[in-house]
Amino acid sequence: MTGYDIFKNGMLHGSNTTATTLNVTGLTASTLYSMTVKAKDAAGNISPASTPLSVTTTPAPPSVPTGLAQSAVTGTSFTLSWTASTPETGGAVAGYDIFKNGTLAGSSATSPK
């Protein structure tokens, strides 16, 4: 073996000399990809394509909440607010985890007011 050609959705994505792994990068979240591999030898012969492997990338996380602010500050409490996050793939953010000094202090099932 002199190497391998790796195909993503039928198009050459990369080549390896003798390694049998390839880190596939530059993909889109929540997307289905069909991957195949062909082997090459020193004489220039190329094998048929492997059986396709279907891989769906994971969804992207929502954007980082911004505009963190406090109001109604008293000696023992305050109200926390922030600008709502937006999901990368449409839909709605299901909720927020709120941390106090690095420890989970509670969750909000809805967007802030």
Side-chain angles (χ1 to χ4, degrees), residues 73-85:
V73 178
T74 71
T76 59
S77 69
F78 61 88
T79 299
L80 183 66
S81 63
W82 58 91
T83 302
S85 297

Side-chain angles (χ1 to χ4, degrees), residues 2 6 8 10 17 21 34-35 52 57 61 70 72 77 80 89 92 102 110:
T2 59
I6 298 88
K8 177 182 76 179
T17 52
T21 63
S34 176
M35 306 298 299
T57 52
Q70 84 282 340
S77 69
L80 183 66
T89 56
T110 59

